[in-house]
Every structure is written in C-alpha cells, then in structure tokens.
Amino acid sequence: MAVCATCRQPGITPGAHACPGPQYADIVFTRHRGQGITVDTAPPRTRIALQAFADRYAYLHMPAPDRIVFADQVVYRITGYADGALELELVEDWRPAPTVQLPLTDEQAEEIKTRWKERHGNGQAVHPVVVLNEEKQP
C-alpha cells in the first residue's frame, strides 16, 4: 500500500493524490521569570530562520548535525532548507503530559454528597451558637 510521505495518507495511487504539501506552524514559547523558557506549542513541522542560531537568547542547541533541541524540551530533525530557513520535523517531545481533570461520574458525585451529609448534614450549625446580646422584652 502506498503512503504519501508528506501528509501520510494511505492508499494513494500515483498521479491521483492532491497533497496539500507540508503544513508549517510556529513553535510557541513562554518566558517565565526566574525559571527560563517553556515550549507551549510544538507543531509537527516548523521552520526556523538561520539568524536564530546567532541569538544568544534562543535557548536551542544542536547535539547532532541534523538535530535541534529547543529549551531542553523538544527535539526537531532538519529535513530541508528553503528561503533562508531550515525546515524541521518534530522527533521527540520531552514536555510533561498535561494534567486534565476529568468530570466526575455520577457514582463519584453521589459518594461525595453522601460523605458530606454524614459529616455536616444534621441540620444544625457546625459550631455551637452562643447568643451574646439577648434582650429581655417586657
């Protein structure tokens, strides 16, 4: 089975595939005071201008001739050169997986309500109430 090397669409036939070509997006960084740089978005394909290698604040290094590491979090492979920019493809992503709070199931919500009612659901105040200014009426 033939697979397009650019868009990875399976089952193509020669001449019958209208590939849109590689889609490039920007890497998004955030600078944190006292902590450095974090990579927010690492697209599968991106481009980088050669001038970025001269920038001392770029937070990138090249451990191999065809690899670029950004902020010690993502690794890109150099796949080409066009219009004064290197074309890159994401190889490794070392960023921690985002933590997502899933919604509670009905059973979990019921358990939380039951525990709350056991502790606080007696209809009385949590602390004893002392009346300080009780006025006597004639």
Side-chain angles (χ1 to χ4, degrees):
M1 177 189 312
V3 177
C4 178
T6 303
C7 67
R8 311 265 197 261
Q9 179 181 351
I12 62 171
T13 58
H17 178 59
C19 182
Q23 303 297 315
Y24 297 100
D26 291 333
I27 300 173
V28 179
F29 297 95
T30 300
R31 183 182 304 260
H32 302 279
R33 177 172 277 162
Q35 295 179 357
I37 299 286
T38 57
V39 178
D40 298 328
T41 305
R45 294 178 185 266
T46 189
R47 290 184 176 145
I48 182 171
L50 292 179
Q51 291 85 0
F53 290 100
D55 184 3
R56 68 180 187 172
Y57 299 111
Y59 294 100
L60 59 87
H61 69 277
M62 293 183 68
D66 66 335
R67 304 273 191 229
I68 299 176
V69 179
F70 291 93
D72 293 330
Q73 296 176 5
V74 291
V75 180
Y76 279 89
R77 180 172 55 92
I78 299 172
T79 58
Y81 175 80
D83 301 324
L86 293 175
E87 296 175 350
L88 308 174
E89 182 176 47
L90 184 64
V91 176
E92 294 181 54
D93 191 346
W94 298 331
R95 297 176 293 162
T99 56
V100 177
Q101 176 65 41
L102 298 175
L104 294 175
T105 63
D106 293 336
E107 294 83 22
Q108 291 171 330
E110 225 19 74
E111 179 185 342
I112 291 171
K113 287 179 186 177
T114 304
R115 279 190 285 144
W116 188 87
K117 285 182 181 178
E118 287 174 359
R119 290 184 71 187
H120 307 291
N122 58 6
Q124 299 176 3
V126 177
H127 301 286
V129 177
V130 178
V131 179
L132 297 176
N133 295 328
E134 186 174 328
E135 295 181 19
K136 293 183 181 180
Q137 294 184 359

